Structures are given as C-alpha cells and as structure tokens.
Amino acid sequence: MRGQGPAVRAVGAVMAAALFWSSSYAVTKRVLEDVGPLGIGAIRFTLAALLLGVMVRLSRNRPARPDRRQRWRLRLSGFLGITVYFVLENVGVDLSTASDASLIVATYPLMTMLVELVVFRTRMPPPRVAGVVLATVGAFLVVRNGAEVGGDSRWLGDLLLLLGGLAWAGYNVLGKQASAGQDAMSVTYHQTLAGAAGFLLASLLEAGDWRMPGVTASALLVYLAVACSVGGFLLYNYGLRRMASSVAVNILNLVPVFGVIGAVVINDESIRPAQVTGGVIIVVGVALGMIEPGRGTTAGPDPAGRRRAHRLAHARPATARRAGGTKPVPDEPRAAVPTARRAADGGRRP
C-alpha cells in the first residue's frame, strides 16, 4: 500500500498533462489564422524555455548537471518530442481538423509499445496490450469518419499526425533512458531548450510570411507556452519517470476525449456518432491498459526498474561477504534499503 501514493500522483500528473494538451489542438487551430505553424512552435517553446530556465535557476534543490552523454540524449529526445513532433502536429492540424488531431493521438500508445518491445524487450501484460489495441481501434473509427467528410488535404494532415506519433514514441523511450538522476524540471528544461532551438531554425522557412500576431493570438500563444508546454511537460515528465512509457502514453488517450470537446466548444466543429463511439472505446482502452495481473490498476515504475531496485535492496554488502563467507548475513541496518532504493531511482525519491 505504501507505493499507492506515488502511483496515484503519477497517474494524476499524466492526466493533468492530458487535460492541458487536449486544449492545444483547438487553440493552435485558432492561432494559425495569425501565425504560421513553424512560427507558433518557435514562439511557444522559446517562451517556455525562458520560463523554465528561470525556474531552474531559482530552484533550491537543483540536481547535479547532467553529464555530456546525458545532455545529448536529453537534447535529442527534446528535438524529437518537440521540434519534429510539433512541426508535424502544427502542419497536420493546419491541413486537417483539431478534432482529428486530438483523436489520432490514440494510436501513439501502440507505437510506443512497439518501440519499447524493440529497445527494452519489455514484456507487456495482456490487459495493457488489449487496452492499447482497443484504443487504437477507437482512433481508427474516428479517423475513418473524418476522412469520409474531408478531402485530400485532410488525409495528408492525418498522415502527418500519424508520423508525429513515431517521433513521440522516440521522445518517450529516449527521454526515459536519459532522465536518470534528474528531476522533472531539469529534464523538461534541457528538452525544451533543444526543441526551441530546432523550431527557431525551422521558422526561418516562414520568414517571408512573418507578421505581428493580434491580441487574441498573442494571449493564446502565452497560454500554449505556459500551460501546455511548461505545465504539461513538467507534469508528464514527473509521471513518466514513475511508470512504463506505454502506460503513460496510454493515459494520454484521454486527450482525444478532452480534445474533441474543446474543438466543438472553441472552434464550433461538428462531431458525428462514429466519433462519439470511438471516444467511448478509447476511454475503455485507457482503463484496461492500466491494469497489471495481480496488481490491479497501477502506474508504478516499470517492471525492469522494480527488479533493479529489488536486487539492490537485497544485495549483500561487500564487507559482510568478506567477513562471513557463505554464512547467512545478519539483518542490514534500516538505512540500507532506502539508500539502495534511492540509488535505483537515480539518487532521488519520488
């Protein structure tokens, strides 16, 4: 029961990130009337990087600066999850609809699960696999319905959004590997810095179309930077460090449900019965994907992390091995187990 508190907080953090991100599609669609898709990303993530930089500087409990290899991994994950992903997302939303964009993300858990299988060789519990597949089926129903009432540009937009899912899967897997010993704020800062740099370079392609955004668009850009970038990524990185990547991304299937509501309310987009059916299937898939056999609903650390912590917690100290040979080792001091757990968690507590 002691692990339920952090697990619940992790789930709550990812769900809150989903709530923030669900609004980004409709807000981006509105801002596209004044600013190009690459310009939106450049402004949004430059503002976010500046804000995060100040927050990191003012933090009293800053972790040690990541080493060179870790910095490059964090930057690469930021480039994939911010620059590449949001270029594809913003252009995709421009060609498609906000409701399609928010619902296509339901295929991302399947992509992330496949990448995890290849990179980590992770064994997925059958309920999680079933939940991810079910959510993907729900997304297929919604996208097919959108294609029937859209045109060629909508198809292309949907395709770009699907390719964005591959970039997002790479961000999740690489970011989880590179975040050891760092807190969510530090990880988010390094990733956002790299993503903002990539967007600033990409936005030069739109230099001929630059113009000053209006008051409404400027306010929405600030919202995208503060709520969706800083708030959303901080919450998501906090949860991602405490659960398997596929579980975290599967929770993001709530984004489509929230996103369609936002698209209807903010952009007056229509919704059809097939989309409602797909949304219900997605919610069921999310709930099913969070179940592990024998543990009920969970969002705890990934199985590999639990196994490492278990081995460290029960390892025999070197001094005890030398002194006792093969004899039984006396009980370790009470501080040994927490210390080992902190080591397994990268030197910090949840």
Side-chain angles (χ1 to χ4, degrees):
M1 296 299 291
R2 288 181 299 178
Q4 292 301 311
V8 171
R9 288 196 295 271
V11 170
V14 177
M15 290 182 67
L19 184 59
F20 280 128
W21 287 343
S22 67
S23 64
S24 69
Y25 302 102
V27 172
T28 298
K29 191 72 174 179
R30 179 67 64 85
V31 178
L32 281 166
E33 298 173 3
D34 286 31
V35 186
L38 302 180
I40 289 176
I43 297 171
R44 170 182 174 178
F45 288 103
T46 299
L47 290 175
L50 291 173
L51 180 57
L52 283 165
V54 172
M55 293 170 65
V56 168
R57 291 290 182 183
L58 295 178
S59 176
R60 295 182 178 180
N61 300 314
R62 280 190 291 172
R65 189 168 183 261
D67 59 35
R68 183 177 179 182
R69 182 179 181 185
Q70 194 174 21
R71 287 198 304 272
W72 277 108
R73 285 186 174 185
L74 287 172
R75 290 168 184 169
L76 179 57
S77 67
F79 179 74
L80 285 174
I82 294 177
T83 305
V84 176
Y85 170 74
F86 281 101
V87 164
L88 293 171
E89 179 194 290
N90 289 352
V91 176
V93 170
D94 195 23
L95 296 174
S96 184
T97 66
S99 57
D100 268 16
S102 62
L103 285 155
I104 286 174
V105 299
T107 63
Y108 292 1
L110 180 60
M111 298 182 191
T112 304
M113 185 176 68
L114 294 175
V115 172
E116 275 191 331
L117 287 172
V118 173
V119 176
F120 295 134
R121 303 186 184 278
T122 306
R123 293 171 57 187
M124 299 294 176
R128 188 183 304 172
V129 176
V132 169
V133 172
L134 192 62
T136 304
V137 170
F140 172 76
L141 291 175
V142 175
V143 173
R144 185 184 66 175
N145 176 75
E148 290 173 354
V149 298
D152 291 339
S153 64
R154 188 166 180 172
W155 263 111
L156 178 59
D158 287 352
L159 177 60
L160 292 177
L161 290 165
L162 287 169
L163 291 175
L166 293 176
W168 186 250
Y171 162 79
N172 278 273
V173 173
L174 187 60
K176 191 174 181 67
Q177 285 183 321
S179 62
Q182 300 295 310
D183 60 14
M185 186 181 300
S186 177
V187 170
T188 305
Y189 169 66
H190 287 287
Q191 291 174 333
T192 303
L193 195 62
F199 255 122
L200 286 171
L201 291 175
S203 67
L204 295 176
L205 298 173
E206 295 178 345
D209 299 324
W210 284 351
R211 63 180 184 272
M212 183 65 67
V215 176
T216 301
S218 298
L220 292 176
L221 282 168
V222 172
Y223 171 81
L224 287 173
V226 176
C228 298
S229 294
V230 176
F233 275 92
L234 279 175
L235 290 165
Y236 185 72
N237 283 329
Y238 173 87
L240 180 62
R241 287 177 57 82
R242 292 160 175 80
M243 63 180 73
S245 302
S246 56
V247 174
V249 181
N250 198 41
I251 295 174
L252 292 185
N253 279 320
L254 293 173
V255 168
V257 180
F258 300 146
V260 168
I261 296 172
V264 172
V265 173
I266 298 175
N267 293 343
D268 295 323
E269 294 183 7
S270 60
I271 184 170
R272 304 180 72 181
Q275 290 177 300
V276 176
T277 302
V280 172
I281 293 175
I282 287 169
V283 172
V284 174
V286 169
L288 188 60
M290 293 175 61
I291 296 175
E292 287 189 17
R295 293 179 61 88
T297 302
T298 182
D302 58 280
R306 287 197 299 267
R307 288 195 294 269
R308 286 194 299 270
H310 179 80
R311 286 198 299 269
L312 285 170
H314 292 83
R316 293 171 58 189
T319 54
R321 287 197 301 268
R322 287 194 298 268
T326 59
K327 295 180 180 180
V329 181
D331 291 340
E332 296 177 356
R334 291 176 180 262
V337 173
T339 301
R341 287 176 181 164
R342 285 197 296 272
D345 290 336
R348 60 169 189 82
R349 285 186 176 275

